[in-house]
Amino acid sequence: MNNFMKKIISVAFSFAVVGSVFATDISKYLRSAPNVDRAMLSADYWISKSVEPDKIIIPTEEILRLNQTVQNASLDDEGKFAYYASSKKNSRISKAKLLELMDFNFNADYYIDGAKVQQEYKDKLLELRNISALGEWNNVGYAFILRRGGLRLLPTEDILTLEEVRSFYDEMQNSSVLMNEPVIVLHQSADSLWYFVMTSYCSGWVPSSNIAFCHSYDEWNLYRNPSDFIVVSENKFRLDYDWVNDRISEVEVSMGTKLQLVPVSEYQTSYEGREAYDNYIVRIPDRSQGGYLIFHNAYIPLGKSVSVGYVPYTRRNLLKMAFSALGERYGWAGLYDARDASQFVMEIYRAFGFDLPRSTSGLIPMDAPTVDVAGMSVAHKESILKYMPSGSILLLPGFAMLYLGEVDGKYYVISSSGENIYGTSSKLTQTQGVSVYDLNTKRKNGERCVEAITKIKVMY
């Protein structure tokens, strides 16, 4: 053997040794929940355990039909999004309904960075709701959200907690809204800095700077139902840097976001002189100086995870999207540009075209195949879980998890959770992130997750 070949073999052997040591010692650098090994932190592991992971569970057309059935049930309820979205004739809301939607009980003690909120602050915040400006009937507007952001219970960015020590809970955060989200605008704050809006799943206050109005219902309805669009099918990514147009430069888009596609016949050279090859071009919403909806064309490289049309509803796609967020921080009701348990579930299923409720309380009565396990023994629940498909939604009081499967008699989930108790410890672990763990994991109250499950949504 010549010296050249000896060197090649030596280098190859050194790489193999390094790889082997790194694989063996990965626990030195990576912490995971008890009973979760490195392989379980990969979507591929759970995909390999799925039966027919590439089979379409139900086609997109059927998902949209199911959505429509739910919407049809609320066409006569002025407190529902579908009431206004279904017809331009429904362009007003009563004072009574608005007061009901904007109502907030401010009687508890609240804190901002450890300082107790005074009554004067509460009164000013409640006055900002501008209730005196309401008529018996009030015109609604049609608009789009420009960037992912918060949906607030009162018109403020202040983080209010029920504890002196600031926690990751914000009592003002009701939900979050995605880029290009169609909304019904119901009211404006007294300082004109906020709008009270209704989405398909929630209501709340958003900054006026994050809204662009349409000139009419017809324009709004056209843009919210584009014939050709992409859906983001990974956790999140940023658009490319654009040194000419800072309104689209490095803007973040996240899972479930739906953006209209620009046909190749309409491609134009960008302001930078860049031409579109191996990219989709999409329309990114923005607002004119007058506050009306305009669009900028932006590039999305083919290397990003997006789907032309809704993502095909398969086990593989569901697990890939869920694990694309593994390790991301927890965000109460979408705080900090993150997700809580139910929003994590909602945005994954949204990418398939499902209009899921925002909260756990909304998921419980959702019309989907359901197994009621409340009151069952742990053994009985586990005998049912053993045959549940991955992606089933497990519902607990105030919490939701995505089921992964069974390994060696243990049953695993992935979820965005704030706190768990791991192993035999009595200490509360503030995981505050998307993680994989088994259902023997204890909740804050000391109850095992498996004990607390009340319903399983099989999701067809």
Side-chain angles (χ1 to χ4, degrees):
M1 184 182 296
N2 60 37
N3 288 336
F4 177 75
M5 288 302 297
K6 288 180 179 179
K7 287 182 179 180
I8 291 293
I9 292 172
S10 175
V11 170
F13 177 75
S14 66
F15 273 115
V17 170
V18 170
S20 174
V21 170
F22 183 73
T24 302
D25 295 339
I26 190 69
S27 60
K28 290 173 58 177
Y29 310 102
L30 182 69
R31 184 163 56 174
S32 56
N35 304 314
V36 175
D37 62 34
R38 180 68 180 86
M40 293 179 182
L41 301 179
S42 166
D44 290 337
Y45 176 87
W46 300 102
I47 291 169
S48 70
K49 293 175 65 64
S50 299
V51 177
E52 298 183 297
D54 295 309
K55 180 181 178 180
I56 299 293
I57 300 167
I58 57 172
T60 300
E61 295 77 13
E62 180 65 11
I63 294 173
L64 300 181
R65 189 192 67 77
L66 291 167
N67 291 342
Q68 191 60 54
T69 299
V70 174
Q71 293 164 17
N72 289 344
S74 58
L75 292 181
D76 296 325
D77 184 348
E78 68 166 331
K80 301 292 186 181
F81 180 85
Y83 175 83
Y84 304 96
S86 62
S87 173
K88 60 184 174 183
K89 294 178 181 178
N90 301 329
S91 60
R92 296 198 303 166
I93 186 170
S94 67
K95 180 179 180 179
K97 181 55 67 175
L98 252 179
L99 290 176
E100 178 186 324
L101 292 171
M102 292 193 298
D103 185 45
F104 184 80
N105 185 341
F106 223 159
N107 294 331
D109 289 336
Y110 292 88
Y111 299 86
I112 299 178
D113 291 329
K116 187 175 180 180
V117 170
Q118 301 301 308
Q119 189 61 44
E120 181 183 8
Y121 173 91
K122 292 182 179 181
D123 292 341
K124 287 183 178 179
L125 203 50
L126 291 173
E127 287 173 8
L128 277 178
R129 294 180 302 167
N130 203 19
I131 288 174
S132 61
L134 294 177
E136 288 305 311
W137 288 93
N138 305 272
N139 292 331
V140 306
Y142 306 95
F144 283 84
I145 297 295
L146 303 183
R147 304 292 180 265
R148 184 184 181 119
L151 194 64
R152 311 289 285 172
L153 288 171
L154 288 173
T156 179
E157 295 281 10
D158 292 339
I159 294 177
L160 275 70
T161 63
L162 294 174
E163 301 138 356
E164 290 188 56
V165 178
R166 176 170 167 173
S167 67
F168 48 86
Y169 296 107
D170 178 4
E171 300 303 318
M172 292 296 103
Q173 185 82 356
N174 199 26
S175 184
S176 65
V177 283
L178 297 182
M179 172 190 288
N180 212 34
E181 184 86 41
V183 296
I184 308 296
V185 181
L186 304 178
H187 189 48
Q188 188 175 29
S189 65
D191 60 6
S192 301
L193 297 179
W194 296 81
Y195 285 108
F196 188 77
V197 306
M198 178 184 290
T199 72
S200 62
Y201 51 86
C202 210
S203 297
W205 296 89
V206 297
S208 55
S209 59
N210 199 29
I211 276 187
F213 281 86
C214 292
H215 291 88
S216 66
Y217 168 88
D218 290 335
E219 179 188 12
W220 177 79
N221 201 40
L222 176 67
Y223 286 136
R224 80 185 182 96
N225 293 303
S227 57
D228 298 302
F229 57 89
I230 61 102
V231 173
V232 177
S233 55
E234 65 176 274
N235 181 35
K236 59 181 70 170
F237 61 82
R238 292 189 178 277
L239 302 181
D240 289 338
Y241 174 78
D242 190 314
W243 61 268
V244 176
N245 188 351
D246 62 3
R247 297 298 294 170
I248 60 172
S249 182
E250 299 182 300
V251 165
E252 183 183 272
V253 291
S254 57
M255 186 160 53
T257 300
K258 179 178 173 180
L259 298 169
Q260 185 177 3
L261 279 167
V262 178
V264 172
S265 60
E266 297 179 23
Y267 276 15
Q268 295 179 348
T269 303
S270 74
Y271 295 118
E272 298 177 290
R274 181 184 178 190
E275 297 186 42
Y277 284 88
D278 304 319
N279 277 262
Y280 294 115
I281 293 187
V282 296
R283 302 194 196 282
I284 302 296
D286 199 3
R287 56 186 278 138
S288 68
Q289 289 186 342
Y292 287 99
L293 182 66
I294 58 174
F295 291 100
H296 304 286
N297 287 355
Y299 297 95
I300 292 188
L302 286 181
K304 303 299 182 184
S305 292
V306 298
S307 171
V308 176
Y310 289 111
V311 180
Y313 182 29
T314 67
R315 302 285 171 213
R316 181 185 300 277
N317 288 338
L318 187 151
L319 291 166
K320 285 286 189 183
M321 284 192 290
F323 276 82
S324 73
L326 185 63
E328 184 187 53
R329 71 161 300 147
Y330 172 88
W332 167 254
L335 198 64
Y336 307 130
D337 192 28
R339 306 175 184 94
D340 64 12
S342 56
Q343 193 152 20
F344 177 64
V345 170
M346 184 187 80
E347 291 185 15
I348 290 171
Y349 274 97
R350 185 185 183 121
F352 299 124
F354 286 99
D355 283 338
L356 292 196
R358 160 67 187 89
S359 63
T360 305
S361 60
L363 288 168
I364 289 173
M366 180 178 66
D367 187 16
T370 303
V371 182
D372 191 338
V373 297
M376 290 183 182
S377 67
V378 168
H380 194 175
K381 289 180 181 180
E382 289 181 342
S383 69
I384 293 172
L385 284 167
K386 193 175 185 69
Y387 298 99
M388 290 294 103
S390 56
S392 296
I393 304 171
L394 308 187
L395 296 175
L396 297 68
F399 197 64
M401 305 177 289
L402 281 180
Y403 182 60
L404 293 175
E406 178 265 340
V407 180
D408 297 331
K410 294 182 174 62
Y411 299 84
Y412 290 85
V413 295
I414 182 170
S415 77
S416 183
S417 56
E419 302 162 304
N420 288 315
I421 298 173
Y422 282 143
T424 58
S425 171
S426 60
K427 179 185 176 183
L428 194 64
T429 304
Q430 297 202 20
T431 48
Q432 295 191 44
V434 178
S435 56
V436 174
Y437 51 94
D438 77 82
L439 289 174
N440 283 317
T441 298
K442 293 180 181 179
R443 307 183 74 206
K444 185 176 182 179
N445 62 5
E447 185 179 34
R448 288 187 295 159
C449 290
V450 65
E451 295 170 330
I453 298 169
T454 58
K455 294 184 186 297
I456 302 172
K457 299 288 181 178
V458 185
M459 297 308 294
Y460 309 97

